[in-house]
Amino acid sequence: MRVQSLTLAAASAALLAPTTPNAFPPQPAAWREPPVRAADLLAKVRDCAPVSGGRYRSDSGAPAGIPVCDTRGAVFWKADMDIDCDGRPGPRCNRHTDPYFSDSTAYVQSDGRPLSAERLPFIVVPAPSRIWDYRKYGVGGGSVVAVVHRDRVQYAVVGDTGPQDVIGEASYSTAKALGIRADPHGGGTPSGVTYIVFKNARVSPIEDQAAAVTTGERLARRFVGSR
């Protein structure tokens, strides 16, 4: 009987107790926009308004048939991808793995050291010439780039310069992120890569990949939404 009385008393107290809102109501999950799709970026660069005074080769000795195109907010080109392993040497990029290895890059980190092709996604732009001078279009070291291959998008920066008449090169890290064979000796892909360089948009320090991704995603979303 004592147990029953206590149970009834507890139930009565629960009914009479005032109800109060939860002091820590569940918080909604943070909403994040989905990443910009490769297809949406490619749809914005179907047509080319050439801005270069001539055309580039994909490799030394190849026919010159690649223009640099101008569009609102960016310049772009469609080319192959050769693997740049230049910069600070590492286990994947050094004089033994790359017969053309150079321990320097046109642009350097905030500490003055060359960039690391193994760690930092970056692309190579042709050195200024009569064909095209990237500096006149708001492009330079640290400029943010969307590199598109098939259904993948990798945000990178402009980190090095190459021959004046050749275009289509990116770092080991860029290729690996896009699923392209990153071997500096025989890797890369012969076609199907689109390089979209956003004008007047740079990250500093140049080695801050997180900033390149954040800025690139924001610029890409604006780019695909532009008319």
Side-chain angles (χ1 to χ4, degrees):
M1 293 298 293
R2 178 174 173 77
V3 174
Q4 183 180 9
S5 299
L6 290 174
T7 302
L8 290 172
S12 299
L15 289 171
L16 294 173
T19 58
T20 57
N22 189 343
F24 301 99
Q27 298 297 313
W31 182 79
R32 184 177 181 274
E33 291 185 274
V36 175
R37 300 184 310 158
D40 294 332
L41 283 167
L42 294 177
K44 299 295 293 186
V45 294
R46 286 175 180 162
D47 302 320
C48 176
V51 69
S52 54
R55 301 198 171 203
Y56 288 97
R57 306 175 190 277
S58 59
D59 296 291
S60 180
I66 304 170
V68 175
C69 311
D70 192 22
T71 188
R72 185 174 182 178
V75 291
F76 68 91
W77 54 92
K78 301 178 182 183
D80 64 336
M81 181 182 286
D82 295 325
I83 307 302
D84 185 357
C85 243
D86 294 342
R88 293 207 321 274
R92 305 294 182 187
C93 293
N94 54 64
R95 297 189 186 281
H96 299 291
T97 62
D98 182 1
Y100 304 105
F101 177 78
S102 169
D103 61 3
S104 64
T105 49
Y107 299 100
V108 297
Q109 293 186 164
S110 54
D111 61 4
R113 294 189 298 169
L115 304 181
S116 170
E118 288 186 23
R119 298 184 178 184
L120 182 68
F122 66 79
I123 72 162
V124 180
V125 293
S129 70
R130 289 182 296 177
I131 300 176
W132 182 58
D133 186 344
Y134 62 86
R135 300 170 299 183
K136 296 180 179 179
Y137 291 85
V139 175
S143 288
V144 180
V145 188
V147 189
V148 185
H149 177 62
R150 296 180 178 172
D151 61 349
R152 295 191 186 187
V153 179
Q154 174 61 43
Y155 296 106
V157 293
V158 171
D160 205 357
T161 58
Q164 291 183 332
D165 62 342
V166 175
I167 203 166
E169 188 175 3
S171 69
Y172 178 101
S173 178
T174 308
K176 187 174 180 180
L178 289 169
I180 295 171
R181 186 182 172 211
D183 184 356
H185 188 57
T189 183
S191 63
V193 182
T194 300
Y195 303 79
I196 303 171
V197 186
F198 299 106
K199 300 175 184 176
N200 303 307
R202 304 184 190 185
V203 295
S204 182
I206 193 173
E207 67 268 23
D208 189 344
Q209 172 58 11
V213 171
T214 300
T215 304
E217 186 68 29
R218 174 175 55 82
L219 294 172
R221 183 163 285 106
R222 182 191 302 171
F223 184 67
V224 299
S226 64
R227 295 182 180 275

